[in-house]
Amino acid sequence: MVAVASRIRLEDRECPLSTTVQHVGEWWTLLILHDAFDGYRRFDQFQESLGISSSMLTTRLRTLVEDGLLERRPYQTNPVRHEYVLTALGHSLRPVVVALAAWGNSRLAPEDRSMILVDARSGEEVEPVVVDARTGRRLDDSDAYVFTAGPAAGDAMRDRYAGRASRTGGTN
């Protein structure tokens, strides 16, 4: 087995954005997850939907299982066949995928959107936004909401956000 260098810089290894991108930042991975959210579970379903090569799909599914986002379960014994089921951790990524799709749609005229998010009961289109759970305020204002070093931050993270404490009321 050949060791592959990590795509994450040493100083970013504690950054939640960098570690998340390491797991789901690859194009095929997001599309496989999207299909899984739509109910696809079997290798042939993913392959037919995505037009992905068998070897690439095998690699991506293996990684998603290793990362704990999908669980590989047998559904047939002779011959043995497996399906790939979202785990709780995998399900927790749905809002991220929804937000990415909404961002993509926001750049298009309504008549140019090939996929939209709708309320399952009413069929009405919805506009996904990311909000603070406590206040309900939208988080897309970079002046109102900023990142700062958290309690477990190392020196590199603290250096990156030095000076933010005075603006956020936190401590470094």
Side-chain angles (χ1 to χ4, degrees):
M1 176 184 276
V2 176
V4 178
S6 174
R7 296 180 191 170
I8 298 177
R9 299 176 304 169
L10 184 58
E11 61 269 22
D12 286 338
R13 291 191 191 273
E14 67 180 312
C15 174
L17 181 59
S18 295
T19 56
T20 299
V21 169
Q22 181 181 14
H23 295 289
V24 298
E26 199 274 330
W27 188 68
W28 284 118
T29 300
L30 285 174
L31 295 178
I32 291 167
L33 287 171
H34 176 250
D35 276 0
F37 296 136
D38 280 350
Y40 293 81
R41 292 179 164 207
R42 297 187 179 166
F43 189 94
D44 59 330
Q45 292 174 319
F46 291 117
Q47 191 170 34
E48 182 179 336
S49 171
L50 300 172
I52 186 174
S53 72
S54 294
S55 62
M56 179 64 75
L57 181 56
T58 298
T59 300
R60 295 296 166 233
L61 288 171
R62 182 181 307 121
T63 300
L64 287 165
V65 169
E66 288 170 0
D67 288 347
L69 302 174
L70 293 177
E71 179 183 341
R72 185 173 183 244
R73 295 181 186 164
Y75 70 87
Q76 178 178 311
T77 56
N78 193 12
V80 176
R81 301 247 188 250
H82 293 88
E83 63 182 1
Y84 298 86
V85 180
L86 285 161
T87 63
L89 185 62
H91 276 287
S92 72
L93 279 168
R94 188 168 191 274
V96 175
V97 173
V98 167
L100 286 170
W103 181 83
N105 272 343
S106 72
R107 301 180 357 242
L108 300 172
E111 64 272 10
D112 293 334
R113 296 174 182 172
S114 62
M115 177 184 74
I116 58 173
L117 187 66
V118 298
D119 181 299
R121 292 184 199 137
S122 71
E124 294 292 319
E125 185 174 358
V126 297
E127 179 187 355
V129 296
V130 180
V131 299
D132 174 53
R134 189 175 47 83
T135 65
R137 289 176 48 204
R138 290 176 66 126
L139 299 180
D140 51 5
D141 182 345
S142 295
D143 293 324
Y145 296 97
V146 298
F147 289 106
T148 191
D155 291 340
M157 189 67 72
R158 291 188 186 284
D159 289 346
R160 176 185 175 110
Y161 292 113
R164 286 262 170 109
S166 62
R167 292 182 286 179
T168 64
T171 59
N172 279 342

Short mmCIF file of all heavy atoms in Angstrom, two decimals, residues 83-114:
data_model
loop_
_atom_site.label_atom_id
_atom_site.label_comp_id
_atom_site.label_asym_id
_atom_site.label_seq_id
_atom_site.Cartn_x
_atom_site.Cartn_y
_atom_site.Cartn_z
N GLU A 83 -25.44 -3.34 0.36
CA GLU A 83 -25.99 -2.01 0.15
C GLU A 83 -25.27 -1.05 1.08
O GLU A 83 -24.62 -1.48 2.04
CB GLU A 83 -27.50 -1.99 0.40
CG GLU A 83 -27.93 -2.33 1.80
CD GLU A 83 -29.44 -2.34 1.97
OE1 GLU A 83 -30.16 -2.11 0.98
OE2 GLU A 83 -29.89 -2.58 3.09
N TYR A 84 -25.39 0.22 0.80
CA TYR A 84 -24.70 1.26 1.55
C TYR A 84 -25.75 2.19 2.15
O TYR A 84 -26.47 2.87 1.43
CB TYR A 84 -23.73 2.01 0.64
CG TYR A 84 -22.67 1.09 0.10
CD1 TYR A 84 -22.89 0.34 -1.05
CD2 TYR A 84 -21.47 0.92 0.79
CE1 TYR A 84 -21.93 -0.53 -1.53
CE2 TYR A 84 -20.51 0.04 0.33
CZ TYR A 84 -20.74 -0.67 -0.83
OH TYR A 84 -19.79 -1.56 -1.29
N VAL A 85 -25.82 2.16 3.49
CA VAL A 85 -26.87 2.88 4.21
C VAL A 85 -26.23 4.03 4.99
O VAL A 85 -25.20 3.86 5.64
CB VAL A 85 -27.59 1.91 5.18
CG1 VAL A 85 -28.68 2.62 5.96
CG2 VAL A 85 -28.13 0.71 4.42
N LEU A 86 -26.87 5.19 4.91
CA LEU A 86 -26.38 6.34 5.66
C LEU A 86 -26.39 6.05 7.15
O LEU A 86 -27.36 5.49 7.68
CB LEU A 86 -27.25 7.57 5.40
CG LEU A 86 -27.06 8.26 4.07
CD1 LEU A 86 -28.26 9.14 3.75
CD2 LEU A 86 -25.78 9.08 4.06
N THR A 87 -25.32 6.42 7.82
CA THR A 87 -25.27 6.36 9.28
C THR A 87 -25.83 7.67 9.83
O THR A 87 -26.11 8.61 9.06
CB THR A 87 -23.82 6.20 9.76
OG1 THR A 87 -23.09 7.37 9.36
CG2 THR A 87 -23.18 4.93 9.19
N ALA A 88 -25.93 7.77 11.14
CA ALA A 88 -26.36 9.03 11.75
C ALA A 88 -25.39 10.15 11.37
O ALA A 88 -25.80 11.28 11.08
CB ALA A 88 -26.46 8.88 13.27
N LEU A 89 -24.10 9.83 11.36
CA LEU A 89 -23.10 10.82 10.97
C LEU A 89 -23.30 11.24 9.51
O LEU A 89 -23.21 12.42 9.18
CB LEU A 89 -21.69 10.25 11.18
CG LEU A 89 -20.52 11.20 10.92
CD1 LEU A 89 -20.57 12.39 11.87
CD2 LEU A 89 -19.20 10.44 11.07
N GLY A 90 -23.59 10.29 8.65
CA GLY A 90 -23.86 10.60 7.26
C GLY A 90 -25.09 11.48 7.10
O GLY A 90 -25.08 12.46 6.36
N HIS A 91 -26.16 11.12 7.82
CA HIS A 91 -27.39 11.94 7.78
C HIS A 91 -27.13 13.37 8.23
O HIS A 91 -27.75 14.30 7.74
CB HIS A 91 -28.48 11.32 8.67
CG HIS A 91 -29.27 10.25 8.01
ND1 HIS A 91 -30.19 10.49 7.02
CD2 HIS A 91 -29.26 8.91 8.19
CE1 HIS A 91 -30.73 9.35 6.63
NE2 HIS A 91 -30.17 8.38 7.33
N SER A 92 -26.20 13.53 9.17
CA SER A 92 -25.94 14.87 9.70
C SER A 92 -25.32 15.81 8.66
O SER A 92 -25.30 17.02 8.86
CB SER A 92 -25.06 14.80 10.95
OG SER A 92 -23.72 14.45 10.61
N LEU A 93 -24.84 15.26 7.54
CA LEU A 93 -24.29 16.09 6.47
C LEU A 93 -25.35 16.63 5.52
O LEU A 93 -25.06 17.47 4.68
CB LEU A 93 -23.26 15.29 5.67
CG LEU A 93 -21.88 15.22 6.30
CD1 LEU A 93 -21.04 14.18 5.60
CD2 LEU A 93 -21.21 16.57 6.25
N ARG A 94 -26.58 16.17 5.63
CA ARG A 94 -27.61 16.62 4.70
C ARG A 94 -27.77 18.14 4.68
O ARG A 94 -27.87 18.73 3.60
CB ARG A 94 -28.95 15.96 4.98
CG ARG A 94 -29.97 16.28 3.87
CD ARG A 94 -31.22 15.42 3.95
NE ARG A 94 -32.00 15.57 2.75
CZ ARG A 94 -32.90 16.53 2.56
NH1 ARG A 94 -33.12 17.42 3.51
NH2 ARG A 94 -33.59 16.61 1.44
N PRO A 95 -27.79 18.81 5.81
CA PRO A 95 -27.92 20.28 5.74
C PRO A 95 -26.78 20.94 4.96
O PRO A 95 -26.98 21.97 4.31
CB PRO A 95 -27.91 20.72 7.21
CG PRO A 95 -28.34 19.52 7.97
CD PRO A 95 -27.83 18.33 7.20
N VAL A 96 -25.60 20.35 5.01
CA VAL A 96 -24.46 20.90 4.27
C VAL A 96 -24.70 20.76 2.77
O VAL A 96 -24.50 21.70 2.00
CB VAL A 96 -23.15 20.18 4.68
CG1 VAL A 96 -21.99 20.65 3.84
CG2 VAL A 96 -22.88 20.39 6.16
N VAL A 97 -25.17 19.59 2.35
CA VAL A 97 -25.45 19.36 0.94
C VAL A 97 -26.61 20.24 0.47
O VAL A 97 -26.56 20.82 -0.61
CB VAL A 97 -25.71 17.85 0.67
CG1 VAL A 97 -26.16 17.61 -0.76
CG2 VAL A 97 -24.45 17.04 0.98
N VAL A 98 -27.62 20.37 1.30
CA VAL A 98 -28.75 21.25 0.98
C VAL A 98 -28.27 22.70 0.81
O VAL A 98 -28.65 23.39 -0.14
CB VAL A 98 -29.85 21.16 2.06
CG1 VAL A 98 -30.87 22.28 1.93
CG2 VAL A 98 -30.55 19.81 2.00
N ALA A 99 -27.39 23.15 1.72
CA ALA A 99 -26.87 24.51 1.63
C ALA A 99 -26.04 24.71 0.36
O ALA A 99 -26.12 25.75 -0.29
CB ALA A 99 -26.05 24.84 2.87
N LEU A 100 -25.23 23.72 -0.01
CA LEU A 100 -24.44 23.81 -1.24
C LEU A 100 -25.34 23.89 -2.47
O LEU A 100 -25.10 24.70 -3.38
CB LEU A 100 -23.48 22.63 -1.35
CG LEU A 100 -22.27 22.66 -0.43
CD1 LEU A 100 -21.55 21.31 -0.47
CD2 LEU A 100 -21.33 23.79 -0.80
N ALA A 101 -26.38 23.08 -2.51
CA ALA A 101 -27.31 23.12 -3.64
C ALA A 101 -28.03 24.46 -3.69
O ALA A 101 -28.22 25.03 -4.77
CB ALA A 101 -28.31 21.96 -3.54
N ALA A 102 -28.43 24.97 -2.53
CA ALA A 102 -29.11 26.27 -2.49
C ALA A 102 -28.19 27.38 -2.98
O ALA A 102 -28.63 28.28 -3.71
CB ALA A 102 -29.58 26.57 -1.07
N TRP A 103 -26.92 27.32 -2.61
CA TRP A 103 -25.96 28.32 -3.08
C TRP A 103 -25.86 28.25 -4.60
O TRP A 103 -25.86 29.27 -5.29
CB TRP A 103 -24.60 28.12 -2.42
CG TRP A 103 -23.60 29.13 -2.87
CD1 TRP A 103 -23.44 30.39 -2.37
CD2 TRP A 103 -22.64 28.98 -3.92
NE1 TRP A 103 -22.43 31.03 -3.05
CE2 TRP A 103 -21.93 30.19 -4.02
CE3 TRP A 103 -22.33 27.95 -4.79
CZ2 TRP A 103 -20.91 30.39 -4.93
CZ3 TRP A 103 -21.32 28.15 -5.72
CH2 TRP A 103 -20.62 29.36 -5.78
N GLY A 104 -25.77 27.04 -5.15
CA GLY A 104 -25.71 26.88 -6.60
C GLY A 104 -26.95 27.43 -7.28
O GLY A 104 -26.86 28.13 -8.30
N ASN A 105 -28.12 27.16 -6.72
CA ASN A 105 -29.36 27.65 -7.30
C ASN A 105 -29.50 29.17 -7.18
O ASN A 105 -30.12 29.80 -8.04
CB ASN A 105 -30.58 26.98 -6.65
CG ASN A 105 -30.96 25.69 -7.33
OD1 ASN A 105 -30.55 25.42 -8.46
ND2 ASN A 105 -31.73 24.88 -6.65
N SER A 106 -28.90 29.74 -6.14
CA SER A 106 -29.04 31.20 -5.94
C SER A 106 -28.41 31.99 -7.08
O SER A 106 -28.74 33.16 -7.28
CB SER A 106 -28.43 31.62 -4.60
OG SER A 106 -27.00 31.55 -4.65
N ARG A 107 -27.53 31.38 -7.82
CA ARG A 107 -26.86 32.05 -8.93
C ARG A 107 -27.61 31.88 -10.24
O ARG A 107 -27.19 32.39 -11.27
CB ARG A 107 -25.43 31.52 -9.08
CG ARG A 107 -24.60 31.72 -7.83
CD ARG A 107 -23.18 31.19 -7.95
NE ARG A 107 -22.90 30.53 -9.21
CZ ARG A 107 -22.56 29.26 -9.34
NH1 ARG A 107 -22.41 28.51 -8.29
NH2 ARG A 107 -22.32 28.72 -10.52
N LEU A 108 -28.71 31.15 -10.22
CA LEU A 108 -29.47 30.85 -11.44
C LEU A 108 -30.83 31.52 -11.40
O LEU A 108 -31.42 31.71 -10.33
CB LEU A 108 -29.67 29.34 -11.58
CG LEU A 108 -28.44 28.46 -11.66
CD1 LEU A 108 -28.85 26.99 -11.59
CD2 LEU A 108 -27.66 28.75 -12.93
N ALA A 109 -31.35 31.82 -12.57
CA ALA A 109 -32.73 32.27 -12.68
C ALA A 109 -33.63 31.09 -12.30
O ALA A 109 -33.27 29.93 -12.57
CB ALA A 109 -33.01 32.74 -14.10
N PRO A 110 -34.78 31.35 -11.69
CA PRO A 110 -35.66 30.24 -11.29
C PRO A 110 -35.95 29.24 -12.42
O PRO A 110 -35.99 28.04 -12.18
CB PRO A 110 -36.93 30.94 -10.82
CG PRO A 110 -36.44 32.27 -10.34
CD PRO A 110 -35.31 32.64 -11.27
N GLU A 111 -36.11 29.72 -13.63
CA GLU A 111 -36.42 28.82 -14.75
C GLU A 111 -35.22 27.99 -15.19
O GLU A 111 -35.37 27.03 -15.95
CB GLU A 111 -37.01 29.59 -15.94
CG GLU A 111 -36.07 30.59 -16.56
CD GLU A 111 -36.09 31.98 -15.91
OE1 GLU A 111 -36.71 32.15 -14.83
OE2 GLU A 111 -35.47 32.88 -16.49
N ASP A 112 -34.03 28.31 -14.71
CA ASP A 112 -32.82 27.58 -15.08
C ASP A 112 -32.39 26.54 -14.04
O ASP A 112 -31.37 25.88 -14.20
CB ASP A 112 -31.66 28.55 -15.33
CG ASP A 112 -31.88 29.41 -16.54
OD1 ASP A 112 -32.62 28.99 -17.45
OD2 ASP A 112 -31.32 30.53 -16.58
N ARG A 113 -33.16 26.38 -12.98
CA ARG A 113 -32.81 25.45 -11.91
C ARG A 113 -33.32 24.05 -12.26
O ARG A 113 -34.49 23.85 -12.51
CB ARG A 113 -33.41 25.91 -10.59
CG ARG A 113 -32.83 27.24 -10.16
CD ARG A 113 -33.51 27.79 -8.94
NE ARG A 113 -32.92 29.09 -8.62
CZ ARG A 113 -33.40 29.89 -7.70
NH1 ARG A 113 -34.48 29.54 -7.01
NH2 ARG A 113 -32.82 31.04 -7.47
N SER A 114 -32.40 23.09 -12.26
CA SER A 114 -32.78 21.72 -12.61
C SER A 114 -33.24 20.91 -11.39
O SER A 114 -33.83 19.85 -11.55
CB SER A 114 -31.61 21.01 -13.29
OG SER A 114 -30.52 20.92 -12.40
#
